[in-house]
PDB file of all heavy atoms in Angstrom:
ATOM      1  N   GLU A 424      -4.134  13.729  73.990  1.00 93.00           N
ATOM      2  CA  GLU A 424      -5.198  13.772  75.008  1.00 93.00           C
ATOM      3  C   GLU A 424      -5.630  12.285  75.350  1.00 93.00           C
ATOM      4  O   GLU A 424      -5.890  11.971  76.526  1.00 93.00           O
ATOM      5  CB  GLU A 424      -6.424  14.538  74.448  1.00 93.00           C
ATOM      6  CG  GLU A 424      -6.250  16.087  74.427  1.00 93.00           C
ATOM      7  CD  GLU A 424      -7.315  16.787  73.689  1.00 93.00           C
ATOM      8  OE1 GLU A 424      -7.840  16.264  72.656  1.00 93.00           O
ATOM      9  OE2 GLU A 424      -7.716  17.995  74.145  1.00 93.00           O
ATOM     10  N   LEU A 425      -5.701  11.438  74.320  1.00 93.00           N
ATOM     11  CA  LEU A 425      -6.044  10.047  74.604  1.00 93.00           C
ATOM     12  C   LEU A 425      -4.969   9.403  75.499  1.00 93.00           C
ATOM     13  O   LEU A 425      -5.291   8.633  76.416  1.00 93.00           O
ATOM     14  CB  LEU A 425      -6.153   9.251  73.282  1.00 93.00           C
ATOM     15  CG  LEU A 425      -7.485   9.348  72.504  1.00 93.00           C
ATOM     16  CD1 LEU A 425      -7.423   8.754  71.176  1.00 93.00           C
ATOM     17  CD2 LEU A 425      -8.655   8.708  73.297  1.00 93.00           C
ATOM     18  N   ALA A 426      -3.685   9.738  75.183  1.00 90.00           N
ATOM     19  CA  ALA A 426      -2.610   9.151  76.065  1.00 90.00           C
ATOM     20  C   ALA A 426      -2.743   9.692  77.427  1.00 90.00           C
ATOM     21  O   ALA A 426      -2.458   8.981  78.441  1.00 90.00           O
ATOM     22  CB  ALA A 426      -1.300   9.502  75.347  1.00 90.00           C
ATOM     23  N   LEU A 427      -3.047  10.968  77.587  1.00 94.00           N
ATOM     24  CA  LEU A 427      -3.123  11.527  78.916  1.00 94.00           C
ATOM     25  C   LEU A 427      -4.362  10.965  79.717  1.00 94.00           C
ATOM     26  O   LEU A 427      -4.154  10.569  80.900  1.00 94.00           O
ATOM     27  CB  LEU A 427      -3.394  13.034  78.849  1.00 94.00           C
ATOM     28  CG  LEU A 427      -3.598  13.767  80.121  1.00 94.00           C
ATOM     29  CD1 LEU A 427      -2.408  13.609  81.047  1.00 94.00           C
ATOM     30  CD2 LEU A 427      -3.868  15.320  79.898  1.00 94.00           C
ATOM     31  N   LYS A 428      -5.410  10.757  79.001  1.00 97.00           N
ATOM     32  CA  LYS A 428      -6.528  10.059  79.718  1.00 97.00           C
ATOM     33  C   LYS A 428      -6.135   8.687  80.179  1.00 97.00           C
ATOM     34  O   LYS A 428      -6.408   8.341  81.354  1.00 97.00           O
ATOM     35  CB  LYS A 428      -7.705   9.898  78.713  1.00 97.00           C
ATOM     36  CG  LYS A 428      -8.905   9.147  79.286  1.00 97.00           C
ATOM     37  CD  LYS A 428      -9.968   8.919  78.299  1.00 97.00           C
ATOM     38  CE  LYS A 428     -11.039   7.912  78.872  1.00 97.00           C
ATOM     39  NZ  LYS A 428     -12.190   7.655  77.946  1.00 97.00           N
ATOM     40  N   PHE A 429      -5.502   7.893  79.397  1.00 97.00           N
ATOM     41  CA  PHE A 429      -5.027   6.545  79.812  1.00 97.00           C
ATOM     42  C   PHE A 429      -4.058   6.641  80.999  1.00 97.00           C
ATOM     43  O   PHE A 429      -4.161   5.922  81.974  1.00 97.00           O
ATOM     44  CB  PHE A 429      -4.430   5.834  78.703  1.00 97.00           C
ATOM     45  CG  PHE A 429      -3.782   4.489  79.201  1.00 97.00           C
ATOM     46  CD1 PHE A 429      -4.578   3.442  79.503  1.00 97.00           C
ATOM     47  CD2 PHE A 429      -2.397   4.447  79.380  1.00 97.00           C
ATOM     48  CE1 PHE A 429      -3.985   2.237  80.017  1.00 97.00           C
ATOM     49  CE2 PHE A 429      -1.807   3.284  79.862  1.00 97.00           C
ATOM     50  CZ  PHE A 429      -2.596   2.144  80.194  1.00 97.00           C
ATOM     51  N   ARG A 430      -3.099   7.540  80.882  1.00 97.00           N
ATOM     52  CA  ARG A 430      -2.014   7.623  81.849  1.00 97.00           C
ATOM     53  C   ARG A 430      -2.636   7.993  83.260  1.00 97.00           C
ATOM     54  O   ARG A 430      -2.270   7.469  84.295  1.00 97.00           O
ATOM     55  CB  ARG A 430      -0.994   8.672  81.487  1.00 97.00           C
ATOM     56  CG  ARG A 430       0.423   8.502  82.125  1.00 97.00           C
ATOM     57  CD  ARG A 430       1.363   9.425  81.473  1.00 97.00           C
ATOM     58  NE  ARG A 430       2.809   9.029  81.798  1.00 97.00           N
ATOM     59  CZ  ARG A 430       3.454   9.521  82.748  1.00 97.00           C
ATOM     60  NH1 ARG A 430       2.943  10.365  83.587  1.00 97.00           N
ATOM     61  NH2 ARG A 430       4.664   9.150  82.992  1.00 97.00           N
ATOM     62  N   LEU A 431      -3.576   8.960  83.239  1.00 97.00           N
ATOM     63  CA  LEU A 431      -4.239   9.397  84.477  1.00 97.00           C
ATOM     64  C   LEU A 431      -5.035   8.337  85.115  1.00 97.00           C
ATOM     65  O   LEU A 431      -5.035   8.123  86.307  1.00 97.00           O
ATOM     66  CB  LEU A 431      -5.041  10.688  84.262  1.00 97.00           C
ATOM     67  CG  LEU A 431      -4.339  12.021  83.867  1.00 97.00           C
ATOM     68  CD1 LEU A 431      -5.283  13.059  83.438  1.00 97.00           C
ATOM     69  CD2 LEU A 431      -3.460  12.453  85.049  1.00 97.00           C
ATOM     70  N   ASN A 432      -5.732   7.565  84.301  1.00 98.00           N
ATOM     71  CA  ASN A 432      -6.491   6.377  84.669  1.00 98.00           C
ATOM     72  C   ASN A 432      -5.569   5.292  85.323  1.00 98.00           C
ATOM     73  O   ASN A 432      -5.785   4.829  86.411  1.00 98.00           O
ATOM     74  CB  ASN A 432      -7.283   5.805  83.524  1.00 98.00           C
ATOM     75  CG  ASN A 432      -8.677   6.450  83.414  1.00 98.00           C
ATOM     76  OD1 ASN A 432      -9.303   6.851  84.332  1.00 98.00           O
ATOM     77  ND2 ASN A 432      -9.136   6.545  82.153  1.00 98.00           N
ATOM     78  N   ALA A 433      -4.549   4.930  84.492  1.00 98.00           N
ATOM     79  CA  ALA A 433      -3.807   3.750  84.814  1.00 98.00           C
ATOM     80  C   ALA A 433      -2.902   3.968  86.046  1.00 98.00           C
ATOM     81  O   ALA A 433      -2.670   3.073  86.825  1.00 98.00           O
ATOM     82  CB  ALA A 433      -2.920   3.352  83.656  1.00 98.00           C
ATOM     83  N   THR A 434      -2.440   5.196  86.283  1.00 97.00           N
ATOM     84  CA  THR A 434      -1.505   5.451  87.408  1.00 97.00           C
ATOM     85  C   THR A 434      -2.269   5.517  88.734  1.00 97.00           C
ATOM     86  O   THR A 434      -1.615   5.722  89.754  1.00 97.00           O
ATOM     87  CB  THR A 434      -0.728   6.786  87.161  1.00 97.00           C
ATOM     88  OG1 THR A 434      -1.659   7.791  86.836  1.00 97.00           O
ATOM     89  CG2 THR A 434       0.248   6.600  86.034  1.00 97.00           C
ATOM     90  N   ARG A 435      -3.515   5.244  88.734  1.00 95.00           N
ATOM     91  CA  ARG A 435      -4.234   4.999  89.989  1.00 95.00           C
ATOM     92  C   ARG A 435      -3.843   3.598  90.544  1.00 95.00           C
ATOM     93  O   ARG A 435      -4.007   3.318  91.718  1.00 95.00           O
ATOM     94  CB  ARG A 435      -5.736   5.018  89.826  1.00 95.00           C
ATOM     95  CG  ARG A 435      -6.341   6.384  89.499  1.00 95.00           C
ATOM     96  CD  ARG A 435      -7.846   6.313  89.334  1.00 95.00           C
ATOM     97  NE  ARG A 435      -8.471   7.392  90.126  1.00 95.00           N
ATOM     98  CZ  ARG A 435      -9.662   7.433  90.502  1.00 95.00           C
ATOM     99  NH1 ARG A 435     -10.477   6.366  90.359  1.00 95.00           N
ATOM    100  NH2 ARG A 435     -10.138   8.454  91.200  1.00 95.00           N
ATOM    101  N   VAL A 436      -3.286   2.789  89.705  1.00 95.00           N
ATOM    102  CA  VAL A 436      -2.878   1.483  90.023  1.00 95.00           C
ATOM    103  C   VAL A 436      -1.434   1.040  89.794  1.00 95.00           C
ATOM    104  O   VAL A 436      -0.818   0.432  90.630  1.00 95.00           O
ATOM    105  CB  VAL A 436      -3.856   0.363  89.259  1.00 95.00           C
ATOM    106  CG1 VAL A 436      -3.430  -1.103  89.577  1.00 95.00           C
ATOM    107  CG2 VAL A 436      -5.298   0.614  89.644  1.00 95.00           C
ATOM    108  N   VAL A 437      -0.904   1.516  88.677  1.00 97.00           N
ATOM    109  CA  VAL A 437       0.439   1.134  88.311  1.00 97.00           C
ATOM    110  C   VAL A 437       1.312   2.394  88.256  1.00 97.00           C
ATOM    111  O   VAL A 437       0.777   3.521  88.234  1.00 97.00           O
ATOM    112  CB  VAL A 437       0.539   0.438  86.934  1.00 97.00           C
ATOM    113  CG1 VAL A 437      -0.353  -0.875  86.928  1.00 97.00           C
ATOM    114  CG2 VAL A 437      -0.024   1.368  85.753  1.00 97.00           C
TER     115      VAL A 437
END
Side-chain angles (χ1 to χ4, degrees):
E424 288 173 323
L425 279 172
L427 176 61
K428 175 186 173 180
F429 172 76
R430 201 172 198 268
L431 291 172
N432 271 328
T434 51
R435 291 181 134 202
V436 175
V437 302

